[in-house]
Amino acid sequence: MSKLPQLTISGIAQAVELSERVHWIGAMDPSLRNFDIILKTANGTTYNAYLVRGSEGVAIVDTVKENFSNDFFERLESVASYDEIKVIVLNHLEPDHTGALPELMRRAPQARVYISQKAQSMLKALLKQDEFDFTSVLTGDKVSLGDRTLEFFHTPYLHWPDTQCTYLQEEQTLFSGDVFGCHFCDARLFNDEVGDFRFSFEYYYAHIMRPFKDYVNKALDLLEPLALINILPAHGPLLRDQPKKYVQRYRELSSSVLQSEIGAGEKTLLIFYISSYGNTRRMALAIYEGAMEIEHVRVSLYDLEGSEVAPFVDLIEGADGIVFGTPTINGDAVKPVWDLLSSLAVINLKTKVGGVFGSYGWTGEGVKMVEDRLRGLKLRVPIPGIRIKLIPTEEEIESCREFGQHLAQELLGLRQPRVIDMADLA
Amino acid sequence: MAKATIIFEDIDVTVTAPAGTRLIEISEKVGSGIVYGCREGECGTCITKVTEGWNNLTEPSVLEDKILRENMAGKHNRLACQAQVLGGVIKVKPV
Ligand SMILES: Cc1cc2nc3c(=O)[nH]c(=O)nc-3n(C[C@H](O)[C@H](O)[C@H](O)COP(=O)(O)O)c2cc1C
Ligand code: FES
Ligand SMILES: [Fe+2]
Ligand SMILES: [Fe+2]
C-alpha cells in the first residue's frame, strides 16, 4: 500500500511537500456532489493551492473556497509565515480559488497580487474594495523570488476570460489552474497514487473546457513546448507521473470528434425539424432539396424526434450551418427544439450560420424566438426565417427551396453583394 | 433623418441606417460575423474592426476605451454594442 501524505497532525492541517521549495496548501472537500450547477462529482473535489519558496520570498499560487480557509491557512502556517509572502498569484478569479484571498491579503498586506490583464475589472467586482494594488501580467511576464522564477502564460477562456497558467521555471512545474484539473478528491493526492480518475478528467474537460476548444488549442501552443516535471492543477490529482500525457489528451479532445468525410472547401449544413401534422416537415424537405442543388455543400436532414440530444450536439459542433424547423405551439417553439438549443453551451457556435423556419396557425412567434436565440448563441443569422401559415402552397414550397439555396450559398460565401435599407428589415 | 451607410466586409452587405443606430443592431439583422454577449459594453465579445470611416461613429467613452484596452484590442477597434453610426460611410468587419 502506498503511503498517505500526512494531511493533518493533531487536528491541525499540514502542508504536503512536493519538492524542497514547493508545498501543496490546499483543501479537501470530499462531500461535494455538485459543482457550479453544471457539474456532478461522485467523490467531491480538492481546492489545490500551492506555496513556492524562493531565496527572496514566498509566493502563494491560488487559494481555496472560502469555507475551507482554515485548512488553507493552517497548511500555509505550517511552512511559512505571512511576512515572508511577497507574491500572490491568481490563475483565475473564480471563488473556489479566491475565497481565502481577502483574508490572505489582510494577513499579508505587503504581498503583491499578480493576475492576468483580463482579470482587472473582475477583481473589483469580486473583492468589493477599490483601492488596492495588483500587477496585471501577460505571456512572458515573470516575477522573481530570488532563486526561483514564476513565468506567466496568458490562456484566456480556460475556462474564465481571465485564466492564466504559471510556470515555475527552475522546477519545470506548471501551476495550471483549472486546466488539466478535475473534481476528484483522494487524500493520496498524486496521479500515480490515487484511484482511477480518468473519467473525472474527461468529464471535467467535456463540461468546462469543451466550449473553448479554439482557446484550448491556442493555450496548448504555448504550453506544449514547456519542459514539464509536474503539472499542478487547481482541482484533483497532482500530475507528477507523465504530465505530458495530459497535455496530449487535451490536444486530442480539442480536435474533431470523428474523422469527417467532408473535403476541403466543402461546407456542411444540418437541417433539424419537428412536425406534428407534416407542414414543417414539408418545408424541411424543400429546404433540403434547395440546399442540395448547390455544389460543395453537404446537407443532412434530421427529425428531432428520432434522437437523443447529445449526438446532435456533436454533429452541430462540426457543422458550418444549422437550420431549425419548428411549428408554433401554444405561443412558443416546441420543447425538443429548446432542449437542443439549451444543450449547445458546451460547444463553440461562433462563426456558424443559422436559419429558422416553421409552419404556424395564427401567431407564429416560434420562428422569431428561435432566431433570437440563435443570435444570442452567437451564430450569425443572415437570412430572415420563413413562417408559413398552416399547409404550404406550391409557391411557398418554392420559397423554402430558395431559402435552402441561399443558406448553402451563404456558407460558401457565394451570395451576391447586397445593399439593404435597415427600414426594410422588420 | 440623417442616414449612414455601413459596409460589413465579411459578408459583402451594405446597409443604410438612421444616425444613432448602434452597430450591433445592424449587424445582427444582416447576420454579419460581429456577435454580442452583454450588449452593455462590458464583455468585449462585440469587438469590431473599423476599416474606414472611424470618425463617422460616436466617440468611444472612457469605459469603452478601458474595455478595449483590457481586451488588448488593436487600433481602429470598437465595441459594436456601443458605437453608434453618425452618417457617411463606415466599413467594418469582425476581428
Ligand atoms: C462554469 C462557469 C461558467 C461561467 N460562465 C459565465 C459566462 O459565460 N458569462 C458570465 O457572465 N458569467 C459566467 N460565469 C460567472 C457566474 O455567472 C458568476 O460567478 C455568478 O456570480 C454566479 O452566480 P451565483 O452565485 O448565483 O451562482 C460562469 C461561472 C462558472 C462557474
Ligand atoms: S456585447 Fe459585450 S461589450 Fe459589446
Ligand atoms: Fe474555475
Ligand atoms: Fe476551479
Side-chain angles (χ1 to χ4, degrees), chain A residues 95-306:
Chain A
D96 55 331
H97 311 292
T98 53
L101 177 68
E103 180 58 24
L104 178 61
M105 288 171 62
R106 269 188 289 280
R107 296 185 187 192
Q110 76 290 346
R112 197 167 179 89
V113 172
Y114 289 77
I115 53 175
S116 85
Q117 182 146 349
K118 280 193 186 233
Q120 301 172 55
S121 60
M122 292 166 83
L123 193 61
K124 275 186 191 158
L126 202 88
L127 293 186
K128 301 291 171 222
Q129 61 187 71
D130 266 348
E131 54 336 307
F132 77 86
D133 260 356
F134 56 81
T135 300
S136 70
V137 289
L138 281 173
T139 300
D141 288 340
K142 290 172 194 159
V143 56
S144 170
L145 303 168
D147 61 358
R148 290 291 180 274
T149 314
L150 296 173
E151 181 179 358
F152 301 101
F153 291 89
H154 187 57
T155 54
Y157 294 101
L158 306 190
H159 65 125
W160 271 26
D162 58 310
T163 305
Q164 60 180 356
C165 293
T166 304
Y167 184 61
L168 175 54
Q169 290 180 335
E170 292 78 2
E171 312 217 3
Q172 303 185 346
T173 289
L174 184 71
F175 302 101
S176 58
D178 283 343
V179 185
F180 308 123
C182 63
H183 293 312
F184 191 85
C185 182
D186 188 321
R188 289 166 292 187
L189 283 182
F190 299 98
N191 65 325
D192 51 329
E193 305 271 354
V194 299
D196 193 336
F197 69 102
R198 288 173 299 175
F199 163 78
S200 308
F201 185 87
E202 305 264 319
Y203 177 81
Y204 192 86
Y205 177 93
H207 287 81
I208 296 291
M209 300 297 166
R210 184 179 175 187
F212 309 106
K213 276 187 179 177
D214 293 349
Y215 287 101
V216 173
N217 280 319
K218 278 188 202 147
L220 292 175
D221 292 343
L222 287 179
L223 302 179
E224 275 170 350
L226 295 177
L228 288 176
I229 294 173
N230 293 295
I231 295 177
L232 303 178
H235 298 284
L238 316 186
L239 309 173
R240 68 178 178 188
D241 183 44
Q242 307 190 64
K244 288 258 179 191
K245 284 241 160 120
Y246 300 89
V247 179
Q248 198 187 327
R249 184 64 186 142
Y250 259 47
R251 188 63 100 171
E252 286 162 13
L253 289 167
S254 302
S255 314
S256 315
V257 188
L258 276 175
Q259 184 59 45
S260 154
E261 300 293 330
I262 306 299
E266 225 181 347
K267 299 288 179 185
T268 52
L269 180 68
L270 312 181
I271 303 169
F272 297 96
Y273 69 92
I274 190 160
S275 184
S276 52
Y277 288 96
N279 296 326
T280 303
R281 174 181 298 118
R282 264 173 226 135
M283 297 176 73
L285 284 168
I287 293 168
Y288 181 59
E289 287 165 13
M292 286 213 289
E293 286 167 25
I294 307 299
E295 250 187 293
H296 305 302
V297 174
R298 196 82 73 95
V299 197
S300 319
L301 182 68
Y302 303 98
D303 185 339
L304 283 172
E305 282 189 294

Side-chain angles (χ1 to χ4, degrees), chain A residues 117-118 120-121 138 154 350 372 375-376 378-382 410 416-422 425-426, chain B residues 3 11-17 21 25-26 28-33 35-37 45 66 69-72:
Chain A
Q117 182 146 349
K118 280 193 186 233
Q120 301 172 55
S121 60
L138 281 173
H154 187 57
K350 220 165 151 179
D372 285 344
R375 291 194 185 100
K378 303 188 176 42
L379 281 96
R380 49 190 204 89
V381 183
E410 188 75 37
Q416 295 301 307
R418 282 169 298 152
V419 180
I420 301 171
D421 191 322
M422 184 83 172
L425 300 168
Chain B
K3 292 223 166 189
I11 52 170
D12 238 334
V13 170
T14 305
V15 192
T16 49
T21 314
E25 294 170 49
I26 312 166
E28 66 173 328
K29 285 261 164 64
V30 299
S32 119
V35 291
Y36 59 84
T45 307
K66 180 165 170 285
R69 263 201 318 278
E70 236 180 66
N71 285 283
M72 292 158 276

Side-chain angles (χ1 to χ4, degrees), chain A residues 23-99:
Chain A
H23 282 81
W24 177 85
I25 55 169
M28 298 281 178
D29 185 359
S31 52
L32 187 86
R33 292 293 172 268
N34 190 299
F35 196 90
D36 280 358
I37 305 172
I38 57 172
L39 281 174
K40 289 188 176 299
T41 166
N43 59 354
T45 192
T46 62
Y47 310 106
N48 299 331
Y50 302 95
L51 184 145
V52 181
R53 178 173 289 281
S55 57
E56 287 165 23
V58 162
I60 305 294
V61 181
D62 285 330
T63 77
V64 298
K65 203 169 171 174
E66 193 180 3
N67 43 340
F68 293 85
S69 298
N70 257 347
D71 287 357
F72 167 76
F73 287 119
E74 284 179 5
R75 290 202 166 99
L76 193 164
E77 287 163 19
S78 74
V79 284
S81 63
Y82 294 109
D83 57 9
E84 294 180 293
I85 300 172
K86 184 177 159 194
V87 167
I88 300 171
V89 175
L90 301 168
N91 279 334
H92 77 307
L93 295 184
E94 198 174 348
D96 55 331
H97 311 292
T98 53

Side-chain angles (χ1 to χ4, degrees), chain A residues 247-409:
Chain A
V247 179
Q248 198 187 327
R249 184 64 186 142
Y250 259 47
R251 188 63 100 171
E252 286 162 13
L253 289 167
S254 302
S255 314
S256 315
V257 188
L258 276 175
Q259 184 59 45
S260 154
E261 300 293 330
I262 306 299
E266 225 181 347
K267 299 288 179 185
T268 52
L269 180 68
L270 312 181
I271 303 169
F272 297 96
Y273 69 92
I274 190 160
S275 184
S276 52
Y277 288 96
N279 296 326
T280 303
R281 174 181 298 118
R282 264 173 226 135
M283 297 176 73
L285 284 168
I287 293 168
Y288 181 59
E289 287 165 13
M292 286 213 289
E293 286 167 25
I294 307 299
E295 250 187 293
H296 305 302
V297 174
R298 196 82 73 95
V299 197
S300 319
L301 182 68
Y302 303 98
D303 185 339
L304 283 172
E305 282 189 294
S307 171
E308 305 293 326
V309 166
F312 285 153
V313 175
D314 291 345
L315 280 172
I316 291 172
E317 185 173 35
D320 300 300
I322 45 177
V323 192
F324 288 91
T326 177
T328 295
I329 296 196
N330 292 337
D332 196 356
V334 295
K335 188 162 181 297
V337 173
W338 291 126
D339 284 347
L340 180 51
L341 288 173
S342 67
S343 305
L344 299 181
V346 296
I347 58 176
N348 179 20
L349 297 167
K350 220 165 151 179
T351 74
K352 295 192 197 300
V353 166
V356 190
F357 62 95
S359 173
Y360 70 102
W362 47 95
T363 50
E365 56 272 71
V367 169
K368 182 79 181 35
M369 289 164 108
V370 173
E371 274 189 304
D372 285 344
R373 175 82 175 126
L374 292 183
R375 291 194 185 100
L377 288 170
K378 303 188 176 42
L379 281 96
R380 49 190 204 89
V381 183
I383 304 173
I386 318 191
R387 305 177 321 152
I388 287 174
K389 196 171 175 110
L390 297 167
I391 300 170
T393 63
E394 249 329 293
E395 230 169 80
E396 286 169 331
I397 284 296
E398 188 48 40
S399 73
C400 290
R401 253 187 225 115
E402 278 170 19
F403 182 74
Q405 288 169 351
H406 288 162
L407 275 168
Q409 288 165 336

